Amino acid sequence: LGQGIGKLNNKTVFVKYSLPEEVLDINIIKDNKNYSFGKIVNKIKTNKNRVKPICPYYYKCGGCDLLHCNNTLEKEFKIEKCNNLLGINPIFNETKNLNYRNKITLHVRNNKLGLYQESSHKLVEIDNCYLVSDKINDLIKELKDYLKHNKVNIKEIIIKTNDIDTLLYIDGKVDNNIINLNTNNIVVNDKVLKGNNYLIKEINGYKFKITAKSFFQVNYLGLESIYNILNKNLKDKYNTILDLYSGISTWGILLNKKANNIICVESNSYATRDAKETIKDNGINNIKVINDKVENVIDTLINNVDLVIIDPPRTGLDNKTIDYLNKINSEELIYVSCDMLSLKRDLDKLNYKIKSIELVDMFPRTYHVESVVILERK
């Protein structure tokens, strides 16, 4: 999780915001039977890669984890995590260190706008976020001014961008002044007040329709890196590709020319709706989209599959899905993961061996990193 690890009286102590080889005075803030958590009181010796966090909210907000170290140490940490857990030295694909996110979810309390503290619902009021795009930050400033001068009752705000325009989704009550905000698309409680309820993002010649509540990769450069990894590792043609936890069928759409048939499964109804409309709008006719949980339909899907692509949530795969993947005839499996611990657990259960791993820095300045694992049958 990007925390420092030390020993105190033979007990492991985790210390957030500490770095390797540092000497620190700490207070124990939580003491468990086998390990403790400490808080830095004083730094006696610091790591040469330590830097002053650029963000004034860093030590309160739960959005970032590694702003107190430079990019070099962050990269080393993520590569070493892969080495430790999976025993492989991976290729590391960098993206953009700041202003890379195309989405943010903001909370409002007493007309104050911000993000939650880590592991709490305590609001940290912000003026901007260094992880999101400049277009989103511009809209955050306008929203703060709007909340200051208008009596409204807003609970949550989602902002998305396609790098050209923004989509503003609001959960709550607003007044007519909301339409004066500098965005072409405003949706309040699923009702369109201005423009459309979606954005169009073009990737590799395909125009994706993206609404506020559907899942789409938050880092466009990272998405392109994953596509390039998939493209270079896949054969020219497959009969059937199975795309599980498919979001808005991103991989299925981008790879549709490589298969006769593609089956995409996604539980988020907003995402499957976006997928179906995107497929139709782009004139694609070889993709079937199923709106359901993977574990509910996995044993009803075709067994004769040439390639399986899985991109699950951080919790990873359930045992039923793992059992099915071990039974089908697919020679190749690609596992895209945003959590290396659940990835390690699942790989130990799958009847596949690792062919190669590449890391994509989808979430710079946090401890998260995207793993793209190319697998083949044992």
Side-chain angles (χ1 to χ4, degrees):
L1 305 181
Q3 299 181 17
I5 303 174
K7 290 283 186 179
L8 191 61
N9 299 326
N10 293 320
K11 184 187 281 190
T12 299
V13 184
F14 299 101
V15 185
K16 193 166 186 181
Y17 308 125
S18 64
L19 297 175
E21 300 175 5
E22 292 192 326
V23 180
L24 308 165
D25 282 333
I26 65 166
N27 280 337
I28 298 297
I29 56 175
K30 188 176 181 181
D31 194 18
N32 296 324
K33 183 180 179 181
N34 298 316
Y35 59 91
S36 303
F37 291 95
K39 183 179 180 180
I40 298 173
V41 176
N42 182 41
K43 303 183 191 76
I44 299 169
K45 177 186 175 185
T46 59
N47 188 301
K48 64 179 181 180
N49 294 296
R50 178 177 283 277
V51 296
K52 183 179 179 181
I54 190 174
C55 178
Y57 320 111
Y58 177 57
Y59 294 111
K60 295 180 180 179
C61 168
C64 299
D65 313 285
L66 300 172
L67 278 179
H68 62 290
C69 72
N70 62 20
N71 299 324
T72 300
L73 188 58
E74 179 183 346
K75 178 179 176 180
E76 289 175 5
F77 158 67
K78 291 176 177 178
I79 291 173
E80 188 63 22
K81 184 194 290 196
C82 186
N83 268 316
N84 287 338
L85 287 173
L86 303 177
I88 290 177
N89 189 37
I91 297 171
F92 190 85
N93 298 272
E94 299 184 47
T95 56
K96 186 180 177 184
N97 291 319
L98 298 170
N99 305 115
Y100 61 85
R101 284 186 65 95
N102 56 49
K103 175 194 173 184
I104 193 170
T105 300
L106 300 160
H107 307 282
V108 182
R109 298 290 182 272
N110 300 318
N111 273 28
K112 295 187 183 299
L113 184 72
L115 300 166
Y116 284 150
Q117 271 190 18
E118 186 179 15
S119 303
S120 82
H121 285 138
K122 187 174 181 180
L123 190 78
V124 178
E125 189 178 8
I126 67 167
D127 294 318
N128 71 298
C129 173
Y130 283 96
L131 297 191
V132 303
S133 75
D134 291 335
K135 282 197 168 292
I136 292 178
N137 276 322
D138 290 342
L139 194 50
I140 288 174
K141 291 182 177 66
E142 287 193 54
L143 281 164
K144 284 180 65 71
D145 188 64
Y146 169 77
L147 290 168
K148 184 178 179 181
H149 294 99
N150 295 273
K151 291 185 177 181
V152 293
N153 185 16
I154 296 174
K155 298 176 183 177
E156 190 176 86
I157 295 171
I158 298 172
I159 308 174
K160 288 189 173 184
T161 183
N162 58 3
D163 293 334
I164 299 172
D165 200 2
T166 50
L167 167 65
L168 175 64
Y169 181 93
I170 296 173
D171 178 10
K173 295 180 181 179
V174 298
D175 59 20
N176 292 332
N177 292 325
I178 194 75
I179 63 171
N180 296 323
L181 294 177
N182 188 27
T183 175
N184 289 332
N185 310 287
I186 300 176
V187 182
V188 179
N189 303 324
D190 291 327
K191 181 181 178 182
V192 178
L193 297 189
K194 183 180 179 183
N196 299 303
N197 70 339
Y198 62 86
L199 293 171
I200 297 293
K201 176 63 178 178
E202 186 170 334
I203 300 171
N204 284 21
Y206 295 101
K207 293 182 178 180
F208 287 83
K209 183 175 283 187
I210 307 166
T211 54
K213 294 183 180 179
S214 67
F215 171 78
F216 198 70
Q217 279 74 13
V218 298
N219 184 332
Y220 290 134
L221 289 176
L223 186 158
E224 290 176 10
S225 288
I226 295 174
Y227 168 73
N228 290 334
I229 295 168
L230 297 179
N231 207 34
K232 75 181 181 183
N233 281 284
L234 297 183
K235 294 184 291 191
D236 290 336
K237 201 68 175 181
Y238 296 86
N239 184 42
T240 302
I241 293 177
L242 196 55
D243 183 6
L244 304 179
Y245 313 94
S246 56
I248 65 172
S249 299
T250 311
W251 309 130
I253 291 169
L254 291 174
L255 299 170
N256 80 90
K257 291 180 180 178
K258 285 185 173 289
N260 295 324
N261 304 289
I262 299 176
I263 302 171
C264 298
V265 183
E266 170 58 46
S267 62
N268 183 308
S269 59
Y270 296 99
T272 50
R273 183 189 62 192
D274 289 357
K276 289 176 181 178
E277 292 183 11
T278 297
I279 289 165
K280 181 181 177 182
D281 293 344
N282 285 276
I284 300 169
N285 55 22
N286 63 337
I287 301 179
K288 178 183 179 182
V289 178
I290 300 173
N291 177 215
D292 209 332
K293 292 183 177 179
V294 169
E295 59 267 30
N296 290 346
V297 299
I298 190 71
D299 52 357
T300 68
L301 301 175
I302 186 170
N303 285 326
N304 218 2
V305 176
D306 307 292
L307 170 69
V308 181
I309 301 173
I310 51 178
D311 191 354
R314 289 199 169 100
T315 50
L317 304 175
D318 62 282
N319 287 327
K320 181 181 177 182
T321 301
I322 289 173
D323 288 343
Y324 175 83
L325 292 172
N326 285 335
K327 289 175 185 176
I328 63 172
N329 297 321
S330 177
E331 289 297 321
E332 299 175 64
L333 190 149
I334 296 176
Y335 195 139
V336 182
S337 171
C338 56
D339 186 279
M340 214 174 287
L341 287 171
S342 60
L343 170 65
K344 162 66 174 170
R345 179 201 67 207
D346 292 345
L347 290 180
D348 287 343
K349 297 177 182 178
L350 286 166
N351 191 30
Y352 287 83
K353 60 183 179 181
I354 297 172
K355 194 175 178 181
S356 67
I357 295 179
E358 293 197 34
L359 301 184
V360 176
D361 206 9
M362 186 75 83
F363 317 99
R365 318 314 282 138
T366 78
Y367 66 78
H368 299 291
V369 64
E370 201 88 346
S371 307
V372 184
V373 189
I374 311 299
L375 299 158
E376 57 187 2
R377 294 285 291 187
K378 286 183 181 176

